[in-house]
Amino acid sequence: MMKFRTLKYHIRQGISGLFKNRLMSLAAVITVMACVFILIISLCVVENIGYILDQLETKIGISVFIGDNISDKDVSFIEQKLKEVSHVSDVKYISKDDALEWGRKNFNGKEFLAGLEEDNPLPRSFDLFIDSSENQRVVIDAIEKIQRDFEEDSVSKKVEENFKNSIIQQKKDENSENADLNIEQIDDSSKDADGVTLEEHKKAAISAIGGEGYEYAGIYKISAPQSAADSLAAIKNTVRIISIILIIVMGIISTSIIINTIKLTVLIRKNEINIMKYVGATDWFIRGPFIVEGLFIGIIGAIIPCIISWFSYDEIINIINQDVSIVKRLFEFSPGSELFAFIIPISLIFGGGLGALGSITSVRKHLKV
Amino acid sequence: MISLQNVTKIYDNGSQALKNVSLDIEKGEFVFVVGSSGSGKSTLIKLLLKEVEPTSGNILINDENIAQISRKEIPYLRRKIGVVFQDFRLLPSKTVYENIAFAMQVVEATPREIRRTVPAVISMVGLSKKAKAYPNQLSGGEQQRVALARAIINKPPVLLADEPTGNLDPETAWEIMSLLKDINMRGTTVVVATHAKEIVDAMQKRVIALKKGVILRDVREGGYNDEI
């Protein structure tokens, strides 16, 4: 455990080292500044691409079309189910009128849609927005489940209804007076005239769902722009990989520059290190001041570009928004405060780590006395 | 105190600096190691500081085989051995006081200990009036006194001096030698590698004469070249 006074000694020596080799320190600080600047710029670009992609992604929805023959109650039941699907961020109901309105706006051809108010052929639908394009498949699976459950339910009801009717009919044929009395007693095991149970009727009907010629009553179509979602996910991945590579490359380049800069300051103090070794200084004691010096160089070198870029970020975004007005309509840039809340710590850690690493590497050679 | 057992040192370039050297130095002794350059004097000092490793043989300091201690422990070995060099090796940016205090900071002494000990040692080497001077404001002899003060500030049981008077005029050399003698009188084992003939002859201390890596002579109280 390092003694507090030793730490104090290291800090004092490190700071005095900074000032003793003023020119060298300045060169090192400028080097770090350049590196951190490039790092910040690349992080800004990468983050904004990600941010914009996220916005585009939420604009890619899934459309769920509803059959005309189901009741409003069923529609709100489906809406409720859709809202419960995980990864769905928003569900928007589009009524027949809404659809017509949208069509008018977008096709501009009033003749083409004229006279449809009375008998609107456009279906009701839901627009679903999902949190991330990567989850599109999962959401579609969930919607398909809702679709199937609804169909099974409504098919069963319809079969039961028909079954009842046929039994009533049968009873009427046999004995018209008692016809109504037995309806209550019908259950899954009841048999019709041919000896087929209600349950078997239901099973047969359910197995026909989705088969050839089957018409969906509830959700009859799920439409999702799969290729757009896929390419967005791919772009996001690429951006992520590029940013990681960028950070690594920047790290390597700047560390080597720092190492060379600090090597010079170490060289100047070669004698000092040598003497320290002879009077019995441990390796960490010798490294201490150099690490402090490196940390200071790194952190000062990181703070300056952080401040400059933080203050100029919003200005630059404003200029882009004004000069390229189309940009503003398509998407927003990442807000500076949010962006820099993570860029600043990264830069400080990057700069400080760079400085300390550079110092340790530079001193290493001279410790072998 | 110090014991070399069949120590041989061959450098990587093939030059044989020491050949099967064995010697014992008792606690409190004052020993001259003499010989022309290339005789192996400096190698001997470097071996004791574990600056170089012996090719074969054992080196014991305080009954501890220093061949067996790890790199991490070297600083603690060196704290037991004060050392001065021909070229003083002072830090030009530090004052006399700071140069000496530095050796105490390195071993993490408290500021109080430093404040108490440094002035005493400075006055012992006779530099009280120059405590605030920088090395380049001092004569060679004064610089070597500072180096001596630094070497003994942590009270090492052994003091090694590699040609301590090599850069000094005869009169100053004598002053340094008498300081070394004083230090020895206080109980420190002193080993001086030198080729200052007059001094060795006059002091009549133990002399170990090396020639081409071999001990030529080891006499209790002798002169520089009784037989060389």
Side-chain angles (χ1 to χ4, degrees), chain A residues 40-86:
Chain A
I40 290 178
I41 290 169
S42 26
L43 281 176
C44 281
V45 170
V46 164
E47 272 311 298
N48 266 299
I49 290 174
Y51 190 80
I52 290 164
L53 287 180
D54 280 344
Q55 292 167 55
L56 296 182
E57 205 168 61
T58 54
K59 285 179 183 164
I60 300 178
I62 299 174
S63 295
V64 174
F65 296 95
I66 308 295
D68 280 345
N69 295 328
I70 65 168
S71 68
D72 286 347
K73 203 180 139 202
D74 285 341
V75 172
S76 30
F77 173 76
I78 290 174
E79 180 173 15
Q80 196 48 47
K81 285 284 173 199
L82 290 175
K83 277 179 177 163
E84 282 165 13
V85 173
S86 53

Side-chain angles (χ1 to χ4, degrees), chain A residues 164-183:
Chain A
K164 271 183 198 168
N165 289 340
S166 73
I167 297 283
I168 292 167
Q169 196 57 46
Q170 195 188 332
K171 291 271 153 90
K172 270 184 188 165
D173 291 348
E174 287 166 9
N175 178 2
S176 53
E177 281 158 38
N178 290 332
D180 290 5
L181 296 176
N182 288 326
I183 293 172

Side-chain angles (χ1 to χ4, degrees), chain B residues 64-210:
Chain B
E64 188 180 19
N65 190 343
I66 68 166
Q68 279 165 1
I69 69 171
S70 70
R71 232 188 79 76
K72 267 190 158 172
E73 291 170 281
I74 294 177
Y76 304 98
L77 167 73
R78 291 187 181 161
R79 289 175 192 187
K80 291 183 216 151
I81 304 170
V83 60
V84 291
F85 299 94
Q86 181 172 2
D87 55 359
F88 323 132
R89 302 198 186 173
L90 301 176
L91 294 170
S93 58
K94 288 188 191 311
T95 64
V96 168
Y97 183 96
E98 287 164 350
N99 260 291
I100 298 166
F102 178 64
M104 288 191 82
Q105 282 164 345
V106 161
V107 300
E108 302 188 48
T110 64
R112 247 185 83 186
E113 283 169 333
I114 294 174
R115 276 198 303 274
R116 211 174 40 210
T117 317
V118 176
V121 175
I122 290 179
S123 92
M124 186 196 148
V125 297
L127 284 176
S128 294
K129 285 179 185 158
K130 305 221 165 171
K132 285 177 184 159
Y134 284 91
N136 62 4
Q137 299 167 321
L138 302 175
S139 70
E142 287 166 334
Q143 287 188 52
Q144 194 60 296
R145 284 162 193 260
V146 178
L148 262 176
R150 184 182 63 194
I152 59 166
I153 191 89
N154 292 322
K155 302 184 180 67
V158 180
L159 177 64
L160 304 180
D162 192 2
E163 301 281 4
T165 60
N167 280 354
L168 306 176
D169 58 70
E171 202 178 320
T172 322
W174 268 112
E175 288 169 22
I176 296 299
M177 275 302 162
S178 68
L179 253 177
L180 284 170
K181 218 168 107 188
D182 287 349
I183 292 165
N184 176 240
M185 300 285 264
R186 292 169 192 230
T188 308
T189 309
V190 176
V191 179
V192 183
T194 184
H195 53 249
K197 184 179 177 308
E198 294 84 20
I199 292 173
V200 177
D201 285 342
M203 302 252 301
Q204 289 294 305
K205 295 284 185 186
R206 179 177 172 190
V207 176
I208 297 169
L210 285 173

Side-chain angles (χ1 to χ4, degrees), chain A residues 348-365:
Chain A
L348 290 181
I349 292 168
F350 182 82
L354 221 63
L357 189 71
S359 316
I360 293 174
T361 324
S362 316
V363 188
R364 204 179 50 194
K365 206 182 86 190

Side-chain angles (χ1 to χ4, degrees), chain A residues 60 133 136 224-235:
Chain A
I60 300 178
S133 53
Q136 198 187 52
Q226 188 55 45
S227 64
D230 283 351
S231 52
L232 265 188
I235 292 171

